[in-house]
Amino acid sequence: MATRPTTVKEGMQMEENTFSKGAALVEKVAESFGQAYFVYNVEEGRFLYLNKAFVDLFGPEAEDFLVTPTLVLPFVHEEDKAFAYDQYAKLLDQKVLKGTELRLQMPSGSTKWICLSTQVLEEKGRYIAGFAEDVTKDKEYLKNILMFNSKKNSTLEILSHDLAAPFTNIEGMVEMLEQELQSKDGVASDLIQYIKENAQKGSDIIRDFIDNEFLESAQVVLHKERVNLSQRIGIMVENYVKLGRPLIAKNFSMDLPQEPLYVYIDVMKFMQVLNNLVSNAIKFTPDHGNITVSAQDQGNKVLIEVQDNGIGIPDALKPALFDKFTKARREGLKGEKSVGLGMSIIKTIVELHKGQVWVESQEGQGTTVFVEIPKD
């Protein structure tokens, strides 16, 4: 028996049914991953579509967004509202935005972080389609990592500076003993040489560990995110104040804006830059000297300063300061080792952030390092 040919209308119906089934499957997969999909009509100012995951993200109130889309606005964290409006304008201009992170203030008082990926579609009207993901747990995890990383960096730097002095003293005393015993006791001389070599090795191991870790930080692609820089600087300086008080006789202070100072940075790398600048200030500032970290909001840019009243930089060394393995490298006041890579890596990371770094210094009066970066 011959099969009846499919009519055009039947073919279109079959294609439509297949498309609907495919769309339903995609939506089911999206729901399982907690992605909240939406379609928004820009001209009419209303949502055309919200999937069920929006209820998980916003709560029962999400069901009312289709009728009254402005109900979503009170959920946006007060500090992020200006940012949200700015991102909306940018989306309309650039057509696509990926990975926009902002906070939601929930009626319960808790805070949620969401990550938005959006696109403008223009077909018989103007629409915004995209999806939102709850990244609160990821942000909390990263926050804890950054706090421990900052504490670890400060602790390592403090230990390296604190241990450099006794190692240097040991080396000096060993040399004196070596001179006294050189012609008297061959065994004692051998033991003294052994102590001397190991004191130098211990000091080098500590410094090499810190230098290598900083060197590796400049060799990875940036992962930028929106961060309150004032908060991060505050954590870093507080670590030096708390951890360094019994070990480092320096006065640490900070001068930061009262309002949150949000910038897009790779937090790990950029805070390593600031940590290294503070470390340099410690090396070249005498005991009971002053070290200040400050930040200024300059509109589209941010200016950070690390200032000390230490021994300063001689004019002859300034031109080569940012060179790799620079001739400007010097031992710290307590004998801290330098391989001449620190300022070169700082410059590399700052330039990866599309910023610039420069130094003002007067010998005998102190040094200020300036780091200027765009906010996004």
Side-chain angles (χ1 to χ4, degrees), residues 299-361:
N300 294 327
K301 296 181 180 180
V302 171
L303 179 66
I304 303 106
E305 299 178 25
V306 178
Q307 183 179 42
D308 66 64
N309 62 345
I311 61 172
I313 303 170
D315 289 341
L317 299 182
K318 291 177 183 176
L321 197 61
F322 292 101
D323 294 347
K324 286 185 178 179
F325 303 104
T326 175
K327 296 178 181 179
R329 63 181 180 269
R330 300 177 290 168
E331 284 191 350
L333 296 181
K334 295 186 178 181
E336 298 95 334
K337 177 186 171 185
S338 173
V339 294
L341 279 170
M343 294 302 286
S344 170
I345 297 172
I346 286 170
K347 185 172 185 287
T348 297
I349 295 176
V350 171
E351 289 180 347
L352 283 172
H353 284 83
K354 299 180 180 178
Q356 57 180 334
V357 56
W358 69 95
V359 175
E360 293 180 4
S361 182

Short mmCIF file of all heavy atoms in Angstrom, two decimals, residues 299-361:
data_model
loop_
_atom_site.label_atom_id
_atom_site.label_comp_id
_atom_site.label_asym_id
_atom_site.label_seq_id
_atom_site.Cartn_x
_atom_site.Cartn_y
_atom_site.Cartn_z
N GLY A 299 36.92 58.99 39.55
CA GLY A 299 35.93 58.88 38.48
C GLY A 299 36.01 57.54 37.79
O GLY A 299 35.55 56.53 38.31
N ASN A 300 36.62 57.51 36.61
CA ASN A 300 36.76 56.27 35.86
C ASN A 300 37.99 55.47 36.28
O ASN A 300 38.21 54.36 35.80
CB ASN A 300 36.83 56.54 34.35
CG ASN A 300 35.52 57.10 33.82
OD1 ASN A 300 34.46 56.76 34.31
ND2 ASN A 300 35.61 57.97 32.83
N LYS A 301 38.80 56.06 37.15
CA LYS A 301 40.05 55.41 37.57
C LYS A 301 40.17 55.41 39.09
O LYS A 301 39.45 56.12 39.79
CB LYS A 301 41.26 56.13 36.96
CG LYS A 301 41.32 56.06 35.44
CD LYS A 301 42.55 56.78 34.92
CE LYS A 301 42.61 56.71 33.39
NZ LYS A 301 43.82 57.40 32.85
N VAL A 302 41.11 54.62 39.56
CA VAL A 302 41.43 54.55 40.98
C VAL A 302 42.94 54.73 41.12
O VAL A 302 43.72 54.16 40.36
CB VAL A 302 41.01 53.20 41.59
CG1 VAL A 302 41.54 53.06 43.01
CG2 VAL A 302 39.50 53.05 41.60
N LEU A 303 43.34 55.54 42.10
CA LEU A 303 44.76 55.76 42.37
C LEU A 303 45.09 55.22 43.75
O LEU A 303 44.49 55.61 44.74
CB LEU A 303 45.10 57.26 42.31
CG LEU A 303 46.56 57.62 42.60
CD1 LEU A 303 47.48 57.07 41.50
CD2 LEU A 303 46.74 59.14 42.72
N ILE A 304 46.05 54.29 43.78
CA ILE A 304 46.51 53.71 45.05
C ILE A 304 47.93 54.19 45.30
O ILE A 304 48.75 54.26 44.38
CB ILE A 304 46.48 52.17 45.00
CG1 ILE A 304 45.08 51.66 44.65
CG2 ILE A 304 46.94 51.58 46.31
CD1 ILE A 304 44.94 51.14 43.27
N GLU A 305 48.22 54.52 46.56
CA GLU A 305 49.56 54.96 46.95
C GLU A 305 50.06 54.13 48.12
O GLU A 305 49.31 53.87 49.06
CB GLU A 305 49.57 56.43 47.35
CG GLU A 305 49.14 57.39 46.25
CD GLU A 305 49.11 58.84 46.72
OE1 GLU A 305 49.84 59.16 47.69
OE2 GLU A 305 48.35 59.64 46.14
N VAL A 306 51.33 53.70 48.04
CA VAL A 306 52.00 53.06 49.16
C VAL A 306 53.18 53.96 49.52
O VAL A 306 54.13 54.08 48.74
CB VAL A 306 52.46 51.63 48.82
CG1 VAL A 306 53.19 51.01 50.00
CG2 VAL A 306 51.27 50.76 48.41
N GLN A 307 53.09 54.56 50.68
CA GLN A 307 54.06 55.60 51.06
C GLN A 307 54.82 55.20 52.32
O GLN A 307 54.24 54.63 53.25
CB GLN A 307 53.31 56.92 51.31
CG GLN A 307 54.21 58.11 51.64
CD GLN A 307 53.40 59.37 51.85
OE1 GLN A 307 52.35 59.33 52.49
NE2 GLN A 307 53.86 60.48 51.31
N ASP A 308 56.12 55.49 52.34
CA ASP A 308 56.92 55.26 53.55
C ASP A 308 57.85 56.44 53.78
O ASP A 308 58.06 57.27 52.88
CB ASP A 308 57.71 53.96 53.44
CG ASP A 308 58.79 54.00 52.36
OD1 ASP A 308 59.73 54.80 52.49
OD2 ASP A 308 58.68 53.24 51.36
N ASN A 309 58.40 56.53 54.98
CA ASN A 309 59.39 57.57 55.28
C ASN A 309 60.74 56.93 55.52
O ASN A 309 61.47 57.30 56.45
CB ASN A 309 58.95 58.42 56.46
CG ASN A 309 58.82 57.62 57.76
OD1 ASN A 309 58.79 56.39 57.73
ND2 ASN A 309 58.74 58.31 58.89
N GLY A 310 61.07 55.95 54.66
CA GLY A 310 62.31 55.20 54.80
C GLY A 310 63.50 55.88 54.17
O GLY A 310 63.55 57.11 54.02
N ILE A 311 64.46 55.08 53.72
CA ILE A 311 65.75 55.62 53.25
C ILE A 311 65.67 56.18 51.84
O ILE A 311 66.60 56.85 51.38
CB ILE A 311 66.85 54.54 53.31
CG1 ILE A 311 66.50 53.36 52.40
CG2 ILE A 311 67.05 54.07 54.75
CD1 ILE A 311 67.62 52.33 52.26
N GLY A 312 64.57 55.90 51.11
CA GLY A 312 64.43 56.44 49.77
C GLY A 312 65.28 55.71 48.74
O GLY A 312 66.03 54.79 49.05
N ILE A 313 65.15 56.16 47.48
CA ILE A 313 65.87 55.53 46.37
C ILE A 313 66.85 56.53 45.77
O ILE A 313 66.47 57.64 45.38
CB ILE A 313 64.88 55.07 45.27
CG1 ILE A 313 63.84 54.12 45.85
CG2 ILE A 313 65.63 54.41 44.11
CD1 ILE A 313 62.70 53.80 44.90
N PRO A 314 68.13 56.18 45.67
CA PRO A 314 69.10 57.08 45.05
C PRO A 314 68.73 57.37 43.60
O PRO A 314 68.21 56.51 42.89
CB PRO A 314 70.42 56.29 45.13
CG PRO A 314 70.21 55.30 46.23
CD PRO A 314 68.76 54.95 46.20
N ASP A 315 69.00 58.59 43.16
CA ASP A 315 68.65 59.00 41.79
C ASP A 315 69.27 58.07 40.74
O ASP A 315 68.66 57.80 39.70
CB ASP A 315 69.11 60.43 41.54
CG ASP A 315 68.27 61.45 42.32
OD1 ASP A 315 67.14 61.09 42.73
OD2 ASP A 315 68.74 62.58 42.52
N ALA A 316 70.47 57.58 41.01
CA ALA A 316 71.17 56.74 40.03
C ALA A 316 70.45 55.41 39.78
O ALA A 316 70.59 54.81 38.71
CB ALA A 316 72.59 56.46 40.51
N LEU A 317 69.62 54.96 40.74
CA LEU A 317 68.95 53.67 40.60
C LEU A 317 67.56 53.78 39.98
O LEU A 317 67.00 52.78 39.54
CB LEU A 317 68.83 52.99 41.98
CG LEU A 317 70.14 52.66 42.71
CD1 LEU A 317 69.83 51.96 44.02
CD2 LEU A 317 71.06 51.80 41.84
N LYS A 318 67.00 54.96 39.97
CA LYS A 318 65.60 55.13 39.54
C LYS A 318 65.33 54.70 38.09
O LYS A 318 64.30 54.07 37.82
CB LYS A 318 65.15 56.58 39.76
CG LYS A 318 65.04 56.95 41.22
CD LYS A 318 64.67 58.42 41.40
CE LYS A 318 64.63 58.80 42.85
NZ LYS A 318 64.36 60.24 43.06
N PRO A 319 66.20 55.03 37.11
CA PRO A 319 65.89 54.66 35.71
C PRO A 319 65.72 53.17 35.47
O PRO A 319 65.00 52.76 34.57
CB PRO A 319 67.08 55.22 34.92
CG PRO A 319 67.63 56.32 35.78
CD PRO A 319 67.43 55.85 37.19
N ALA A 320 66.39 52.33 36.27
CA ALA A 320 66.36 50.88 36.05
C ALA A 320 65.43 50.16 37.02
O ALA A 320 65.42 48.94 37.09
CB ALA A 320 67.76 50.30 36.18
N LEU A 321 64.62 50.91 37.75
CA LEU A 321 63.82 50.35 38.84
C LEU A 321 62.88 49.24 38.38
O LEU A 321 62.67 48.24 39.07
CB LEU A 321 63.03 51.46 39.52
CG LEU A 321 62.45 51.16 40.90
CD1 LEU A 321 63.56 50.84 41.88
CD2 LEU A 321 61.63 52.34 41.39
N PHE A 322 62.28 49.39 37.18
CA PHE A 322 61.28 48.43 36.71
C PHE A 322 61.85 47.40 35.74
O PHE A 322 61.10 46.62 35.14
CB PHE A 322 60.11 49.17 36.04
CG PHE A 322 59.29 49.98 37.02
CD1 PHE A 322 59.47 51.36 37.10
CD2 PHE A 322 58.37 49.37 37.85
CE1 PHE A 322 58.72 52.11 38.00
CE2 PHE A 322 57.62 50.11 38.75
CZ PHE A 322 57.80 51.50 38.82
N ASP A 323 63.18 47.37 35.57
CA ASP A 323 63.80 46.39 34.69
C ASP A 323 63.84 45.01 35.36
O ASP A 323 63.90 44.90 36.59
CB ASP A 323 65.25 46.80 34.37
CG ASP A 323 65.32 48.07 33.54
OD1 ASP A 323 64.26 48.49 33.03
OD2 ASP A 323 66.41 48.65 33.43
N LYS A 324 63.79 43.96 34.51
CA LYS A 324 63.97 42.62 35.05
C LYS A 324 65.41 42.44 35.51
O LYS A 324 66.34 42.87 34.84
CB LYS A 324 63.63 41.57 33.99
CG LYS A 324 62.14 41.41 33.73
CD LYS A 324 61.88 40.28 32.75
CE LYS A 324 60.38 40.10 32.53
NZ LYS A 324 60.10 39.01 31.57
N PHE A 325 65.60 41.77 36.64
CA PHE A 325 66.92 41.58 37.23
C PHE A 325 67.67 42.91 37.28
O PHE A 325 68.82 43.02 36.91
CB PHE A 325 67.72 40.53 36.46
CG PHE A 325 67.04 39.20 36.37
CD1 PHE A 325 66.41 38.79 35.20
CD2 PHE A 325 66.97 38.37 37.48
CE1 PHE A 325 65.74 37.57 35.14
CE2 PHE A 325 66.30 37.15 37.42
CZ PHE A 325 65.69 36.75 36.25
N THR A 326 66.94 43.92 37.73
CA THR A 326 67.45 45.28 37.70
C THR A 326 68.73 45.48 38.52
O THR A 326 68.92 44.84 39.56
CB THR A 326 66.36 46.25 38.22
OG1 THR A 326 66.91 47.57 38.31
CG2 THR A 326 65.88 45.84 39.60
N LYS A 327 69.56 46.39 38.05
CA LYS A 327 70.75 46.77 38.80
C LYS A 327 70.38 47.61 40.02
O LYS A 327 71.22 47.88 40.87
CB LYS A 327 71.70 47.56 37.89
CG LYS A 327 72.25 46.74 36.72
CD LYS A 327 73.14 47.59 35.83
CE LYS A 327 73.67 46.77 34.65
NZ LYS A 327 74.52 47.59 33.74
N ALA A 328 69.10 48.01 40.07
CA ALA A 328 68.65 48.84 41.20
C ALA A 328 68.33 48.00 42.44
O ALA A 328 67.93 48.54 43.46
CB ALA A 328 67.41 49.65 40.79
N ARG A 329 68.48 46.68 42.34
CA ARG A 329 68.15 45.85 43.50
C ARG A 329 69.14 46.11 44.64
O ARG A 329 70.34 46.29 44.42
CB ARG A 329 68.12 44.38 43.13
CG ARG A 329 69.43 43.78 42.66
CD ARG A 329 69.22 42.31 42.30
NE ARG A 329 70.43 41.66 41.83
CZ ARG A 329 70.79 41.60 40.57
NH1 ARG A 329 70.05 42.19 39.65
NH2 ARG A 329 71.90 40.98 40.22
N ARG A 330 68.58 46.09 45.84
CA ARG A 330 69.39 46.33 47.04
C ARG A 330 68.93 45.41 48.16
O ARG A 330 67.76 45.03 48.21
CB ARG A 330 69.25 47.78 47.53
CG ARG A 330 69.67 48.85 46.56
CD ARG A 330 69.40 50.22 47.14
NE ARG A 330 67.97 50.52 47.23
CZ ARG A 330 67.45 51.54 47.90
NH1 ARG A 330 68.24 52.36 48.57
NH2 ARG A 330 66.14 51.73 47.92
N GLU A 331 69.83 45.07 49.05
CA GLU A 331 69.42 44.35 50.26
C GLU A 331 68.63 45.29 51.15
O GLU A 331 68.85 46.51 51.16
CB GLU A 331 70.66 43.84 51.02
CG GLU A 331 71.30 42.62 50.40
CD GLU A 331 72.35 42.01 51.33
OE1 GLU A 331 72.67 42.67 52.35
OE2 GLU A 331 72.82 40.90 51.05
N GLY A 332 67.69 44.71 51.90
CA GLY A 332 66.93 45.51 52.84
C GLY A 332 67.79 45.95 54.01
O GLY A 332 68.94 45.52 54.15
N LEU A 333 67.23 46.79 54.86
CA LEU A 333 67.98 47.33 56.00
C LEU A 333 68.41 46.23 56.97
O LEU A 333 69.35 46.41 57.73
CB LEU A 333 67.14 48.36 56.74
CG LEU A 333 66.78 49.63 55.94
CD1 LEU A 333 65.96 50.58 56.81
CD2 LEU A 333 68.03 50.33 55.43
N LYS A 334 67.70 45.10 56.95
CA LYS A 334 68.05 43.99 57.84
C LYS A 334 68.63 42.82 57.06
O LYS A 334 68.58 41.67 57.50
CB LYS A 334 66.83 43.55 58.65
CG LYS A 334 66.34 44.64 59.59
CD LYS A 334 65.21 44.14 60.48
CE LYS A 334 64.77 45.25 61.45
NZ LYS A 334 63.68 44.79 62.34
N GLY A 335 69.16 43.13 55.88
CA GLY A 335 69.81 42.10 55.08
C GLY A 335 68.89 41.28 54.22
O GLY A 335 69.30 40.25 53.68
N GLU A 336 67.62 41.72 54.02
CA GLU A 336 66.68 40.95 53.20
C GLU A 336 67.19 40.87 51.76
O GLU A 336 67.59 41.86 51.17
CB GLU A 336 65.30 41.59 53.21
CG GLU A 336 64.64 41.65 54.57
CD GLU A 336 64.87 42.99 55.26
OE1 GLU A 336 65.88 43.66 54.94
OE2 GLU A 336 64.05 43.37 56.11
N LYS A 337 67.12 39.67 51.21
CA LYS A 337 67.63 39.40 49.87
C LYS A 337 66.71 39.98 48.80
O LYS A 337 65.50 40.09 48.99
CB LYS A 337 67.73 37.87 49.69
CG LYS A 337 68.18 37.41 48.32
CD LYS A 337 68.10 35.90 48.25
CE LYS A 337 68.33 35.40 46.84
NZ LYS A 337 68.13 33.94 46.73
N SER A 338 67.26 40.34 47.64
CA SER A 338 66.47 40.78 46.50
C SER A 338 67.08 40.23 45.22
O SER A 338 68.30 40.26 45.05
CB SER A 338 66.44 42.31 46.43
OG SER A 338 65.82 42.75 45.23
N VAL A 339 66.20 39.69 44.34
CA VAL A 339 66.69 39.20 43.04
C VAL A 339 66.39 40.19 41.92
O VAL A 339 66.70 39.94 40.76
CB VAL A 339 66.07 37.83 42.69
CG1 VAL A 339 66.54 36.77 43.66
CG2 VAL A 339 64.56 37.90 42.67
N GLY A 340 65.75 41.31 42.25
CA GLY A 340 65.52 42.35 41.25
C GLY A 340 64.36 42.11 40.32
O GLY A 340 64.30 42.68 39.24
N LEU A 341 63.40 41.26 40.72
CA LEU A 341 62.25 40.97 39.86
C LEU A 341 60.96 41.64 40.34
O LEU A 341 60.02 41.78 39.58
CB LEU A 341 62.01 39.45 39.79
CG LEU A 341 62.89 38.67 38.82
CD1 LEU A 341 62.70 37.18 39.05
CD2 LEU A 341 62.57 39.03 37.39
N GLY A 342 60.91 42.02 41.61
CA GLY A 342 59.66 42.49 42.22
C GLY A 342 58.97 43.61 41.47
O GLY A 342 57.80 43.50 41.10
N MET A 343 59.68 44.70 41.21
CA MET A 343 59.06 45.86 40.56
C MET A 343 58.72 45.57 39.10
O MET A 343 57.75 46.10 38.56
CB MET A 343 59.99 47.07 40.66
CG MET A 343 60.20 47.59 42.08
SD MET A 343 58.66 48.05 42.92
CE MET A 343 58.26 49.58 42.08
N SER A 344 59.50 44.70 38.46
CA SER A 344 59.20 44.30 37.08
C SER A 344 57.88 43.54 37.02
O SER A 344 57.05 43.78 36.14
CB SER A 344 60.34 43.43 36.54
OG SER A 344 59.98 42.85 35.32
N ILE A 345 57.67 42.63 37.97
CA ILE A 345 56.42 41.86 38.00
C ILE A 345 55.25 42.76 38.35
O ILE A 345 54.16 42.64 37.78
CB ILE A 345 56.54 40.70 39.01
CG1 ILE A 345 57.64 39.74 38.56
CG2 ILE A 345 55.21 39.96 39.12
CD1 ILE A 345 57.96 38.66 39.58
N ILE A 346 55.46 43.68 39.28
CA ILE A 346 54.42 44.66 39.63
C ILE A 346 53.97 45.41 38.40
O ILE A 346 52.77 45.56 38.13
CB ILE A 346 54.94 45.63 40.72
CG1 ILE A 346 54.99 44.91 42.08
CG2 ILE A 346 54.06 46.88 40.81
CD1 ILE A 346 55.70 45.68 43.15
N LYS A 347 54.92 45.90 37.62
CA LYS A 347 54.61 46.65 36.40
C LYS A 347 53.83 45.78 35.41
O LYS A 347 52.86 46.23 34.78
CB LYS A 347 55.90 47.15 35.75
CG LYS A 347 55.71 48.05 34.54
CD LYS A 347 57.05 48.64 34.12
CE LYS A 347 56.88 49.63 32.97
NZ LYS A 347 56.59 49.00 31.70
N THR A 348 54.23 44.51 35.28
CA THR A 348 53.55 43.59 34.36
C THR A 348 52.09 43.41 34.75
O THR A 348 51.18 43.50 33.91
CB THR A 348 54.25 42.23 34.35
OG1 THR A 348 55.59 42.39 33.86
CG2 THR A 348 53.51 41.24 33.46
N ILE A 349 51.83 43.14 36.03
CA ILE A 349 50.46 42.89 36.49
C ILE A 349 49.61 44.15 36.39
O ILE A 349 48.45 44.10 35.97
CB ILE A 349 50.47 42.35 37.94
CG1 ILE A 349 51.15 40.99 37.98
CG2 ILE A 349 49.04 42.25 38.48
CD1 ILE A 349 51.29 40.40 39.35
N VAL A 350 50.18 45.30 36.74
CA VAL A 350 49.43 46.56 36.63
C VAL A 350 49.07 46.84 35.17
O VAL A 350 47.95 47.25 34.86
CB VAL A 350 50.24 47.73 37.24
CG1 VAL A 350 49.56 49.06 36.92
CG2 VAL A 350 50.36 47.56 38.74
N GLU A 351 49.99 46.62 34.26
CA GLU A 351 49.72 46.86 32.84
C GLU A 351 48.72 45.85 32.28
O GLU A 351 47.96 46.19 31.37
CB GLU A 351 51.04 46.83 32.05
CG GLU A 351 51.90 48.06 32.34
CD GLU A 351 53.21 48.06 31.56
OE1 GLU A 351 53.57 47.00 30.99
OE2 GLU A 351 53.87 49.12 31.53
N LEU A 352 48.70 44.64 32.82
CA LEU A 352 47.66 43.69 32.42
C LEU A 352 46.27 44.21 32.80
O LEU A 352 45.28 43.91 32.15
CB LEU A 352 47.89 42.33 33.09
CG LEU A 352 48.99 41.44 32.49
CD1 LEU A 352 49.23 40.22 33.37
CD2 LEU A 352 48.62 41.00 31.08
N HIS A 353 46.22 45.02 33.86
CA HIS A 353 44.97 45.67 34.28
C HIS A 353 44.76 47.00 33.55
O HIS A 353 43.88 47.79 33.93
CB HIS A 353 44.99 45.92 35.79
CG HIS A 353 44.74 44.69 36.62
ND1 HIS A 353 45.74 43.79 36.92
CD2 HIS A 353 43.61 44.21 37.19
CE1 HIS A 353 45.23 42.81 37.66
NE2 HIS A 353 43.95 43.04 37.84
N LYS A 354 45.59 47.25 32.50
CA LYS A 354 45.51 48.48 31.70
C LYS A 354 45.77 49.72 32.55
O LYS A 354 45.18 50.78 32.34
CB LYS A 354 44.15 48.59 30.99
CG LYS A 354 43.88 47.44 30.03
CD LYS A 354 42.55 47.57 29.33
CE LYS A 354 42.32 46.40 28.39
NZ LYS A 354 41.00 46.45 27.71
N GLY A 355 46.66 49.56 33.52
CA GLY A 355 47.01 50.67 34.40
C GLY A 355 48.47 51.06 34.25
O GLY A 355 49.17 50.60 33.34
N GLN A 356 48.92 51.91 35.15
CA GLN A 356 50.32 52.34 35.13
C GLN A 356 50.83 52.48 36.56
O GLN A 356 50.04 52.67 37.50
CB GLN A 356 50.47 53.67 34.38
CG GLN A 356 49.63 54.81 34.93
CD GLN A 356 49.82 56.10 34.14
OE1 GLN A 356 50.86 56.32 33.53
NE2 GLN A 356 48.82 56.97 34.17
N VAL A 357 52.14 52.35 36.71
CA VAL A 357 52.76 52.46 38.03
C VAL A 357 53.99 53.35 37.91
O VAL A 357 54.72 53.30 36.92
CB VAL A 357 53.14 51.07 38.57
CG1 VAL A 357 54.04 50.30 37.62
CG2 VAL A 357 53.79 51.17 39.95
N TRP A 358 54.19 54.20 38.90
CA TRP A 358 55.37 55.06 38.92
C TRP A 358 55.78 55.33 40.36
O TRP A 358 55.03 55.07 41.31
CB TRP A 358 55.14 56.35 38.14
CG TRP A 358 54.16 57.32 38.75
CD1 TRP A 358 54.43 58.38 39.55
CD2 TRP A 358 52.72 57.30 38.58
NE1 TRP A 358 53.27 59.04 39.89
CE2 TRP A 358 52.20 58.40 39.31
CE3 TRP A 358 51.83 56.49 37.89
CZ2 TRP A 358 50.84 58.70 39.37
CZ3 TRP A 358 50.48 56.77 37.95
CH2 TRP A 358 49.99 57.86 38.68
N VAL A 359 57.01 55.87 40.51
CA VAL A 359 57.59 56.06 41.84
C VAL A 359 58.10 57.48 41.99
O VAL A 359 58.69 58.05 41.07
CB VAL A 359 58.76 55.07 42.06
CG1 VAL A 359 59.45 55.33 43.39
CG2 VAL A 359 58.26 53.63 42.01
N GLU A 360 57.86 58.04 43.16
CA GLU A 360 58.47 59.31 43.56
C GLU A 360 59.24 59.05 44.85
O GLU A 360 58.69 58.50 45.80
CB GLU A 360 57.42 60.39 43.77
CG GLU A 360 56.71 60.82 42.49
CD GLU A 360 55.66 61.90 42.72
OE1 GLU A 360 55.55 62.38 43.88
OE2 GLU A 360 54.96 62.27 41.76
N SER A 361 60.52 59.43 44.86
CA SER A 361 61.33 59.12 46.03
C SER A 361 62.45 60.14 46.18
O SER A 361 62.98 60.65 45.19
CB SER A 361 61.93 57.72 45.90
OG SER A 361 62.69 57.38 47.04
#
